[in-house]
Amino acid sequence: MSKDFKDNKSLDVERASIDTGSDVAPDEDQRLRIQGEQNPYYVHELRWTEAEEKEIVRIFDFKILSWIGLMFFFMQLDRGNMGNALTDNLMEDLNMDLNTVTLGSTIFTLCFCLFEIPSNMVIRRTGPQRWIPFLMCLWGISTAAQFWLKDKVTFFICRALVGMFEAGYIPGIAIYLTGYYKKSELGVRLSIFWSTLAVANSVAGVLAYGILHMRGVAGQAGWRWLFLFEGLGTIVIGLFSFLLLPEGPTSTKGYLRFSGYLTDRQEQIAMTRLIRDDPTKADTSKGVVSNKDLFKALTSPKIWPNILIGFFGLLPFSPLTILSPLIIKNLQLGVPSLVSNLLVIPGYVLSLSIMTFVSWSSDKHNERALHGALASLYYAMCILALAVLPADASNFSLYFALIFAMGGQTCWHPVNAAWIASNTAPVGKRSIALALYIISVNACDMVSVNLFRDKDAPRFIRGFWILFGALLLTIVLFLFQRWHLMYVNRKRSETTRHWTDEDWKTYNETTKDEGDERLDFRFCY
């Protein structure tokens, strides 16, 4: 569509039952017009009905979010298959012990963290619709290559490559979704995105149960077939993603998208509603993230509490994900060892339910911090139960305690990611902030997996006590960040309370403040 298309007012402007624009003061309206009209698809006077907007969001949910969820599903299969492979004697076949597997997980995480920021600095230049499928194909190849593992050296190399190529995917997807959804819609969509993690972990148990029974086929171990099949599936999805992911809501035509997802009017509505919700989204220019954005993200005191929340609050995730099949196997519940892969599924189903509810409620009430604190409290109580159950507790009591603890995994993770995305601007700074958050989430794996040692098996009580303390600190951080952002908003309001239109004009002409540093930017909490 040409840039001057938006000047055709007979199509652009339709008075309808709702005015999404603009119950704003005249000076704010003028600032919105100036920022919005940087984008050729923004129409300041555009009106649309609630039904039209819901239809556009449904299209994005069905066409964009569903495919992204499928991509993440295969990513999680590749990340989580190590826990399943351990139940098929991978350690014995490669002459390794649990400490070697733990070191492999640390190498994976270290490579993941080291390449996270570089990947997200490049993604804006190449476009996530190209960069993310490219990465997916590479980590699929690395996963499939684990079929040919010979010893711990080849094991370490493959774990490093998978970590390196998976870096950048999650924050890249989060940035990609901000180009389709408003702030008030993002929490639930990120929840749906991360819910595929629980689905993948559940399905992984079923797949592993079937594939691991292939031990002996072509003289190979079952875990080798598991890595090969899941890696090849990832490559196929990555190749299709090149043809299915559009650059943005105004570029949906072409390849397997055929005539596109939206009409011309819907494209205008899609961009205008985003810019009215967040004027910084008017700038869709491409380019590598600047060093200035990198520095501002690294030094922002408003970002770091959320990053620390990710580090401490998700410490339990990796041990529970990797070791839960092994813990259940050691409980000796009277079932075959491979069935332990199926017995973790109720935990992932519970996790999906809790995460979806927390994210839905957070978006509905436009509140982040208290939802995160209360969800962390539930998680902490479940972890505490695993630490304090007596030595003579029945194995089934321990099993159910583990399942409820797994239910707390990632329960506020989408809320915190949406919180960061909504509170950080411009887009370059937002990219780095989300990358830092994902680094913190994965860096904690290097600490958490080392809390569970061979000598602490089968209960790992020492590790669970440490995780309990980390979750209590997470609750404190949620409450602190709420107070902190309320304080910043109040100080900005006090500063500008008596400003006139002339004062705002002078500020706009002379200020060097950008994005979330501007005095008219308000943080959500």
Side-chain angles (χ1 to χ4, degrees):
M1 187 176 73
S2 64
K3 291 186 178 182
D4 61 356
F5 178 80
K6 72 185 185 73
D7 294 325
N8 183 354
K9 300 304 180 183
S10 63
L11 177 60
D12 290 344
V13 183
E14 178 178 311
R15 303 291 176 182
S17 60
I18 65 170
D19 177 352
T20 64
S22 352
D23 221 2
V24 296
D27 56 327
E28 294 177 357
D29 185 71
Q30 183 60 24
R31 292 199 301 275
L32 176 61
R33 180 189 292 273
I34 293 172
Q35 284 187 276
E37 290 183 350
Q38 298 176 48
N39 189 294
Y41 291 88
Y42 176 79
V43 182
H44 194 68
E45 298 84 3
L46 187 64
R47 304 292 186 269
W48 58 86
T49 65
E50 183 178 356
E52 285 182 294
E53 185 166 12
K54 285 184 176 180
E55 175 63 21
I56 291 171
V57 173
R58 278 195 296 268
I59 291 172
F60 292 158
D61 288 343
F62 181 71
K63 300 287 189 178
I64 306 296
L65 187 61
S66 61
W67 187 258
I68 285 174
L70 182 63
M71 295 170 70
F72 190 52
F73 174 88
F74 276 87
M75 177 184 183
Q76 190 55 33
L77 286 183
D78 293 341
R79 296 187 72 180
N81 52 22
M82 185 56 62
N84 301 123
L86 291 177
T87 65
D88 190 45
N89 300 321
L90 177 143
M91 291 187 292
E92 291 82 355
D93 291 345
L94 297 179
N95 194 26
M96 302 188 309
D97 57 17
L98 184 59
N99 293 330
T100 303
V101 174
T102 299
L103 179 57
S105 296
T106 302
I107 291 172
F108 166 88
T109 304
L110 183 61
C111 291
F112 188 98
C113 294
L114 287 175
F115 286 90
E116 190 78 52
I117 289 179
S119 180
N120 278 273
M121 293 183 74
V122 172
I123 197 171
R124 196 171 172 219
R125 169 65 66 88
T126 61
Q129 79 282 2
R130 297 189 186 95
W131 186 244
I132 292 172
F134 174 68
L135 292 177
M136 193 171 186
C137 290
L138 291 180
W139 88 62
I141 293 171
S142 302
T143 297
Q146 292 174 110
F147 178 88
W148 291 277
L149 290 180
K150 298 298 183 184
D151 49 32
K152 65 180 181 181
V153 174
T154 53
F155 172 72
F156 291 152
I157 291 172
C158 283
R159 297 315 293 169
L161 290 174
V162 173
M164 180 174 69
F165 294 134
E166 287 187 356
Y169 173 78
I170 295 176
I173 285 295
I175 289 294
Y176 186 58
L177 290 178
T178 63
Y180 293 91
Y181 296 104
K182 298 193 300 187
K183 295 177 183 178
S184 60
E185 300 163 347
L186 195 57
V188 168
R189 270 68 194 186
L190 287 176
S191 171
I192 295 171
F193 168 66
W194 265 298
S195 70
T196 57
L197 184 152
V199 175
N201 287 332
S202 300
V203 173
V206 177
L207 289 175
Y209 180 76
I211 296 174
L212 292 180
H213 276 93
M214 292 180 64
R215 173 174 280 271
V217 174
Q220 302 294 335
W223 59 263
R224 294 185 186 274
W225 293 112
L226 182 69
F227 287 133
L228 181 63
F229 290 155
E230 294 185 354
L232 292 177
T234 299
I235 295 169
V236 171
I237 296 299
L239 292 174
F240 272 100
S241 297
F242 278 110
L243 306 175
L244 288 171
L245 290 184
E247 182 177 355
T250 60
S251 305
T252 62
K253 296 180 177 67
Y255 299 115
L256 294 182
R257 302 183 301 274
F258 302 112
S259 59
Y261 301 154
L262 304 178
T263 66
D264 289 340
R265 173 173 169 78
Q266 285 176 325
E267 288 180 350
Q268 289 186 317
I269 294 173
M271 284 308 304
T272 302
R273 77 186 199 100
L274 286 179
I275 294 170
R276 287 179 183 174
D277 180 63
D278 181 357
T280 63
K281 292 180 181 178
D283 181 11
T284 57
S285 59
K286 294 182 179 180
V288 176
V289 174
S290 67
N291 290 331
K292 181 175 72 171
D293 286 336
L294 174 62
F295 177 78
K296 286 186 175 181
L298 289 171
T299 58
S300 173
K302 304 174 191 69
I303 293 173
W304 278 99
N306 293 98
I307 293 173
L308 293 175
I309 285 171
F311 181 86
F312 290 106
L314 291 176
L315 272 177
F317 175 75
S318 190
L320 290 180
T321 299
I322 294 176
L323 298 177
S324 55
L326 198 59
I327 293 173
I328 292 174
K329 179 181 177 181
N330 291 336
L331 288 178
Q332 298 178 345
L333 297 176
V335 297
S337 60
L338 291 183
V339 176
S340 59
N341 291 297
L342 300 178
L343 292 179
V344 301
I345 293 176
Y348 293 123
V349 174
L350 182 60
S351 173
L352 170 61
S353 302
I354 294 175
M355 180 176 65
T356 301
F357 173 76
V358 171
S359 300
W360 169 81
S361 179
S362 176
D363 275 0
K364 178 178 175 61
H365 298 287
N366 194 28
E367 200 287 326
R368 306 300 190 195
L370 296 181
H371 281 78
L374 290 174
S376 296
L377 180 61
Y378 163 81
Y379 202 3
M381 292 301 100
C382 294
I383 294 294
L384 179 63
L386 289 169
V388 302
L389 279 172
D392 59 351
S394 72
N395 288 341
F396 285 98
S397 297
L398 292 169
Y399 168 72
F400 283 111
L402 177 63
I403 293 302
F404 279 106
M406 292 176 67
Q409 293 183 120
T410 70
C411 56
W412 47 256
H413 190 21
V415 170
N416 199 32
W419 197 6
I420 294 172
S422 298
N423 279 349
T424 313
V427 67
K429 183 178 179 182
R430 184 182 296 135
S431 298
I432 300 301
L434 286 167
L436 289 171
Y437 175 59
I438 299 302
I439 286 175
S440 74
V441 168
N442 287 272
C444 74
D445 290 350
M446 292 187 287
V447 176
S448 62
V449 295
N450 288 288
L451 299 177
F452 289 70
R453 303 170 301 181
D454 275 334
K455 66 179 183 179
D456 296 325
R459 288 286 303 274
F460 301 104
I461 291 176
R462 171 184 170 274
F464 284 123
W465 272 114
I466 296 174
L467 297 182
F468 174 70
L471 289 172
L472 292 183
L473 179 57
T474 302
I475 296 171
V476 173
L477 286 168
F478 268 116
L479 297 178
F480 168 78
Q481 182 69 331
R482 177 182 171 85
W483 170 85
H484 177 212
L485 297 178
M486 290 174 68
Y487 174 79
V488 172
N489 284 353
R490 184 169 65 251
K491 294 297 291 184
R492 290 183 178 182
S493 295
E494 290 174 355
T495 300
T496 61
R497 180 174 299 158
H498 302 295
W499 280 20
T500 63
D501 289 350
E502 190 63 30
D503 293 325
W504 278 111
K505 181 179 179 181
T506 302
Y507 173 75
N508 290 327
E509 292 174 349
T510 60
T511 186
K512 295 182 179 179
D513 296 340
E514 294 180 335
D516 57 62
E517 296 176 350
R518 287 181 56 89
L519 292 178
D520 51 2
F521 188 96
R522 294 296 180 267
F523 296 97
C524 62
Y525 48 81

